[in-house]
């Protein structure tokens, strides 16, 4: 029965075309429940559970998904880095947002953060929505405050979550979007100092921390980078990143390069540049790219080269104009304000008599 359920799940996904969600929901639930003796493995049951909630969301069963996923989340303490728990948390947030993204989704999901401030899946969902709306400062502030709460905790498991390579990588990516190079170096240094005390530290994170510390001008950072790459080289002598980092962190202008010959032979050779050939080839000129984004048609160069002659305007003098007579000084005043104005009719004469001078 478990094999039939897995095959049915795969057949719904492998169709490659958009199916009716209500029909898919009916097909997914048509098989009887799996008996206790034939239940699938945990990695299979977790995927089936996620697909079950996903089909319910596509069928607009938001209340049912929110209730069932909330029950599952309450049974597992947070924070944790379990893929199963955090995936269910994402589906719970999706149910509360009713499949909305952007600011509309954030409006429905942010109140959940007050109830579950240490829910990693919920925090990652909010971070993704912040990034979709280009609100990178809010995303950084949210993750930094979450890390600060975990640092103040005395539980060792919370410290593992605080320096989890995936979460550290998310913060580093957000720092890269903002161009905060010093913050990147500080965060990687803290993570590397924590994981170096563990028996099985994550090698990619230590490698990234070593590369960031190599770019620092501080002697202390250079020393830490040398220690990191030395330990990585001892764990895996054939790893090229560890070898290159070890050489870069140990070589100085006064070093004897013959000591590192055995390590440099393991790296891919870089062909030397011939200075004479480069000088002979000259400097290539890249074509200039116009930055004018206007949609208007460009003016004709031949037409703009020679200035156009101005057309002489016709005289606008009155017909009875006599240049020998002086012009009326009151010609700019309104007609009723001139001294020669005489009102017509009894009402006009009465107004003129009653008016001031």
């Amino acid at each position: 029965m478990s094999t039939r359920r897995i095959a049915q799940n795969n057949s719904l996904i492998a169709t490659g075309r958009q199916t009716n969600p209500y029909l898919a929901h009916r097909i997914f639930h048509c098989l009887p429940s799996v008996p206790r003796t034939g239940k699938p493995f945990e990695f299979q049951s977790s995927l089936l559970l996620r697909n079950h909630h996903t089909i319910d969301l596509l069928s607009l069963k938001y209340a049912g998904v929110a209730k069932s996923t909330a029950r599952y989340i309450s049974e597992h303490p947070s924070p944790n880095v379990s893929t199963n728990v955090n995936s269910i948390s994402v589906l719970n947030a999706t149910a509360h947002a009713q499949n909305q993204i952007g600011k509309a989704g954030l409006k429905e999901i942010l109140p959940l953060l007050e109830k579950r401030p240490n829910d990693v899946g919920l925090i990652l969902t909010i971070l993704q929505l912040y990034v979709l709306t280009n609100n990178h400062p809010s995303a950084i502030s949210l993750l930094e405050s979450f890390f600060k709460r975990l640092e103040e905790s005395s539980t060792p498991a919370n410290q593992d979550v605080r320096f989890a390579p995936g979460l550290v990588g998310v913060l580093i990516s957000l720092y890269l979007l903002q161009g905060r190079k010093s913050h990147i170096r500080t965060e990687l240094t803290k993570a590397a100092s924590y994981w170096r005390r563990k028996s099985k530290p994550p090698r990619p994170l230590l490698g990234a921390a070593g590369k960031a510390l190599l770019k620092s001008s501080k002697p202390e950072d250079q020393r830490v980078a040398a220690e990191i790459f030395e330990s990585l080289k001892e764990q895996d002598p054939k790893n090229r990143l560890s070898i290159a980092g070890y050489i870069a962190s140990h070589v100085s202008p006064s070093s004897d390069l013959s000591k590192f010959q055995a390590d440099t032979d393991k790296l891919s050779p870089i062909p030397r540049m011939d200075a004479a050939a480069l000088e002979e080839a000259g400097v290539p000129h890249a074509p200039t790219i116009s930055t004018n984004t206007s949609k208007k048609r460009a003016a004709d160069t031949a037409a703009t080269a020679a200035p156009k002659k101005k057309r002489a305007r016709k005289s606008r003098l009155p017909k009875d104009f006599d240049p020998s007579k002086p012009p009326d000084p009151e010609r700019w005043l309104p007609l009723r304000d001139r001294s020669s104005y005489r009102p017509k009719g009894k009402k006009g004469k009465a107004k003129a008599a009653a008016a001031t001078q």
Side-chain angles (χ1 to χ4, degrees):
M1 186 58 65
S2 61
T3 306
R4 287 180 60 188
R5 181 170 290 277
I6 293 171
Q8 182 193 59
N9 174 83
N10 293 344
S11 65
L12 286 173
I13 298 174
T15 53
R17 61 179 183 274
Q18 189 72 22
T19 57
N20 188 334
Y22 301 99
L23 181 60
H25 182 274
R26 181 178 179 182
I27 295 173
F28 188 85
H29 292 281
C30 67
L31 289 178
S33 58
V34 180
R36 290 181 175 272
T37 57
K39 284 190 174 182
F41 294 102
E42 184 179 0
F43 74 93
Q44 295 171 326
S45 60
S46 63
L47 288 172
L48 289 172
L49 179 61
R50 277 181 256 169
N51 290 342
H52 167 77
H53 291 313
T54 303
I55 290 177
D56 286 349
L57 287 173
L58 292 174
S59 304
L60 309 182
K61 298 180 181 295
Y62 301 128
V65 174
K67 185 177 180 180
S68 58
T69 51
R71 190 185 311 112
Y72 183 91
I73 294 170
S74 63
E75 297 172 356
H76 298 81
S78 61
N80 60 67
V81 290
S82 171
T83 305
N84 299 335
V85 178
N86 291 324
S87 298
I88 296 298
S89 179
V90 173
L91 292 170
N92 177 266
T94 308
H96 281 278
Q98 297 185 0
N99 289 341
Q100 298 180 99
I101 60 174
K103 295 182 179 180
L106 281 170
K107 185 179 180 181
E108 302 295 333
I109 296 175
L110 284 175
L112 298 176
L113 193 61
E114 300 177 1
K115 302 177 181 178
R116 309 199 306 266
N118 294 331
D119 191 332
V120 176
L122 178 61
I123 291 174
L124 290 176
T125 306
I126 296 174
L127 289 177
Q128 182 66 30
L129 294 178
Y130 274 142
V131 171
L132 288 175
T133 55
N134 293 325
N135 193 352
H136 301 145
S138 297
I140 294 174
S141 176
L142 173 62
L143 195 53
E144 285 179 341
S145 61
F146 173 59
F147 282 173
K148 186 177 181 181
R149 289 196 300 271
L150 295 181
E151 288 175 359
E152 295 172 353
S153 175
S154 58
T155 308
N158 291 354
Q159 300 304 314
D160 290 344
V161 176
R162 160 62 183 90
F163 296 104
L167 294 177
V168 173
V170 171
L171 184 58
I172 296 301
S173 300
L174 292 172
Y175 282 154
L176 281 173
L177 292 174
Q178 295 283 299
R180 305 184 186 182
K181 296 182 180 180
S182 60
H183 291 74
I184 293 174
R185 190 180 302 115
T186 303
E187 181 62 27
L188 287 174
T189 304
K190 291 167 64 176
S193 62
Y194 174 79
W195 286 111
R196 286 173 64 193
R197 300 193 298 264
K198 301 291 182 176
S199 58
K200 294 182 179 181
R203 293 175 53 84
L205 189 143
L206 293 181
K211 286 193 293 183
L213 292 173
L214 275 178
K215 299 177 183 178
S216 176
S217 58
K218 297 180 181 178
E220 183 180 355
D221 293 342
Q222 297 284 341
R223 180 183 56 79
V224 175
E227 294 175 359
I228 289 174
F229 283 115
E230 188 173 358
S231 63
L232 291 176
K233 183 173 174 291
E234 291 176 358
Q235 297 175 17
D236 189 1
K238 296 181 180 180
N239 186 271
R240 294 181 178 181
L241 173 63
S242 304
I243 296 171
Y246 174 79
I247 295 173
S249 59
H250 285 78
V251 170
S252 62
S254 60
S255 301
D256 184 7
L257 299 180
S258 60
K259 297 180 180 180
F260 304 97
Q261 188 63 38
D263 293 325
T264 54
D265 292 341
K266 298 177 183 177
L267 300 176
S268 301
I270 301 175
R272 291 183 175 272
M273 293 183 179
D274 189 356
L278 289 174
E279 289 180 358
E280 185 179 356
V283 180
H285 293 277
T288 57
I289 301 174
S290 176
T291 57
N292 185 16
T293 58
S294 177
K295 296 182 179 180
K296 294 182 178 179
R297 183 176 60 86
D300 189 4
T301 55
T304 55
K308 294 182 179 180
K309 294 183 180 180
K310 291 186 177 180
R311 182 173 57 86
R313 293 185 178 181
K314 295 181 179 180
S315 177
R316 295 186 177 180
L317 297 175
K319 295 180 180 181
D320 55 349
F321 175 72
D322 187 1
S324 61
K325 293 182 180 180
D328 185 9
E330 296 181 351
R331 63 187 181 278
W332 307 116
L333 295 176
L335 185 64
R336 64 178 178 273
D337 294 340
R338 299 180 190 180
S339 59
S340 60
Y341 174 68
R342 297 291 182 269
K344 295 181 181 180
K346 295 182 179 180
K347 292 184 179 179
K349 292 179 180 179
K351 283 184 180 181
T356 59
Q357 185 174 355

